[in-house]
Amino acid sequence: MSEIVVISGHPNSEGSYANSVILHELKQSIANIDIRYLDKLYPDFKIDIQAEQNALINADVIVLQFPFYWYSIPALLKKWLDDVFAYDFAFGANGDKLKGKDLILSFTVGGPEESYDPLGYNHFTVEQLIYPLQQTAYLTGLNFCEPIYTHRMVYVEGVYNKLEDVQNRATIHAKRLIKRIDVLQNSPEIIIKRFAKHWFENFDTLPNDSTIFTAHLSEGITLSMPEGEFTGHSGFRDWYKMARETFKPNCEHIVEQIAVKKQREQSYQVELRIRLLADTFEDSKLQGEQVNLLVNELWDLKLKDNGQIEISQYSVEVA
């Protein structure tokens, strides 16, 4: 699974003086990256919506890489956005597939910085001109990260800028972008949030083997559940057995809120608000009832040097 997906919106990526340098640097520096060159994939503007949506589902960080065209994005990237960010995928009743992912706008601006000013040639700041994209992120539940952009990125031989200067600026731009991605991928808060996402994805399937969970629990973990108090791995297995006897596989845990608070070195407290949607077995205490339940969870955990997470306390309270 790709964790970084870059959508290249340049209409001629190979002929670009700046965007091609940025994309080359990304490809050389980041292993788990999927760069999708829209001009190569869809020269006819016929977007494979399912393929693009699948790529985004697999991503933790989404980068839109493009030249700033007429105060906006190039036509092919706009077409991609219109087609891929569809109802019940990116928005709407069931449109939560992008929620919680990080979005970075990375773009090149031809004009100088001073021209993007109320008293300048372009009258508006760059930040003001990208408000529609920022609102798109908010509507779809994406985490809108501070954009990365660089001015004076147009080269016209003998008229505007030197090619060497433009490409040097593109290299510096790429390094800024790589650093931003590294922070998003490796900060403790991001690691913990990503872990929580995968924890509940695994729990939804209710696998027979519980070691996928106990591998992240301390030997002396204490669990406070609506069903009672449990201790250690054996206690978790007892509780998990009850859960598997109650809920049918393929339930859904929706992480509605998550907050990570650092307690001390490598120790964190995680507050979660989870909605559980599930079917139950008829011979269980819930007698086949469909469940739509909101719970508050509180985890105490340690983030080890090797990146592994160990939970020492786990409590669940019905909201």
Side-chain angles (χ1 to χ4, degrees):
M1 285 173 48
S2 297
E3 294 182 349
I4 315 296
V5 170
V6 179
I7 307 300
S8 169
H10 199 291
N12 180 15
S13 56
E14 290 187 354
S16 164
Y17 295 121
N19 280 254
S20 61
V21 173
I22 294 168
L23 293 169
H24 174 76
E25 291 292 328
L26 291 177
K27 190 173 183 179
Q28 293 297 310
S29 302
I30 302 175
N32 54 333
I33 192 167
D34 177 11
I35 301 179
R36 306 186 67 78
Y37 297 87
L38 299 186
D39 62 317
K40 297 178 182 179
L41 289 169
Y42 311 113
D44 56 0
F45 275 57
K46 296 179 180 179
I47 310 293
D48 185 337
I49 296 173
Q50 190 63 58
E52 297 304 309
Q53 289 181 344
N54 288 342
L56 297 183
I57 287 173
N58 289 339
D60 293 316
V61 178
I62 300 167
V63 179
L64 301 187
Q65 177 63 50
F66 59 94
F68 205 44
Y69 275 16
W70 283 107
Y71 315 110
S72 186
I73 56 180
L76 182 53
L77 182 55
K78 181 61 167 65
K79 179 69 162 53
W80 178 90
L81 199 66
D82 291 344
D83 289 357
V84 177
F85 281 27
Y87 182 82
D88 270 356
F89 176 78
F91 70 101
N94 301 304
D96 59 354
K97 306 305 184 294
L98 301 178
K99 186 177 180 180
K101 299 177 186 292
D102 295 311
L103 175 69
I104 303 175
L105 303 182
S106 169
F107 54 99
T108 56
V109 183
E113 184 175 359
E114 58 269 21
S115 69
Y116 288 88
D117 182 87
L119 299 179
Y121 180 79
N122 293 304
H123 301 295
F124 299 95
T125 67
V126 171
E127 285 75 12
Q128 288 173 319
L129 293 169
I130 63 171
Y131 278 160
L133 293 173
Q134 186 172 352
Q135 174 56 25
T136 298
Y138 293 156
L139 181 65
T140 58
L142 287 162
N143 299 324
F144 183 78
C145 302
E146 182 181 355
I148 294 177
Y149 58 90
T150 305
H151 290 279
R152 299 181 185 273
M153 295 292 264
V154 168
Y155 168 65
V156 181
E157 186 176 2
V159 177
Y160 189 63
N161 288 323
K162 294 180 180 179
L163 179 58
E164 180 182 2
D165 292 340
V166 169
Q167 293 183 328
N168 284 339
R169 283 193 282 270
T171 300
I172 294 171
H173 179 113
K175 290 179 179 179
R176 291 168 56 207
L177 179 56
I178 292 166
K179 184 177 180 180
R180 176 71 55 77
I181 291 171
D182 181 65
V183 169
L184 289 174
Q185 286 294 93
N186 298 304
S187 71
E189 182 176 358
I190 294 300
I191 291 173
I192 292 169
K193 287 183 176 180
R194 192 185 309 139
F195 169 81
K197 174 176 178 286
H198 294 315
W199 173 274
F200 288 113
E201 285 176 350
N202 288 327
F203 205 94
D204 286 344
T205 66
L206 290 167
N208 182 55
D209 187 357
S210 64
T211 56
I212 192 172
F213 304 110
T214 55
H216 297 287
L217 304 179
S218 69
E219 290 288 345
I221 185 171
T222 58
L223 301 104
S224 178
M225 301 296 190
E227 296 83 1
E229 303 291 324
F230 303 84
T231 304
H233 287 189
S234 61
F236 175 83
R237 285 191 288 268
D238 290 342
W239 172 82
Y240 185 63
K241 181 174 182 291
M242 295 169 58
R244 293 190 73 248
E245 290 173 348
T246 302
F247 302 108
K248 293 183 178 181
N250 301 315
C251 51
E252 184 178 9
H253 288 80
I254 302 171
V255 182
E256 295 192 348
Q257 294 179 17
I258 180 170
V260 178
K261 299 177 182 178
K262 187 172 183 178
Q263 300 295 96
R264 53 191 179 278
E265 191 65 28
Q266 295 184 306
S267 296
Y268 299 84
Q269 188 173 81
V270 186
E271 297 178 356
L272 306 102
R273 192 169 179 86
I274 308 296
R275 184 171 296 278
L276 170 62
L277 305 177
D279 293 323
T280 63
F281 291 106
E282 291 184 0
D283 58 355
S284 70
K285 290 183 178 180
L286 295 180
Q287 299 179 328
E289 177 185 347
Q290 286 188 326
V291 172
N292 184 339
L293 186 66
L294 194 61
V295 300
N296 295 319
E297 299 199 5
L298 186 65
W299 303 354
D300 285 341
L301 58 81
K302 180 179 290 186
L303 181 58
K304 296 184 176 181
D305 291 334
N306 61 2
Q308 290 296 307
I309 285 177
E310 182 181 82
I311 304 173
S312 58
Q313 293 188 48
Y314 195 129
S315 66
V316 178
E317 183 181 86
V318 177

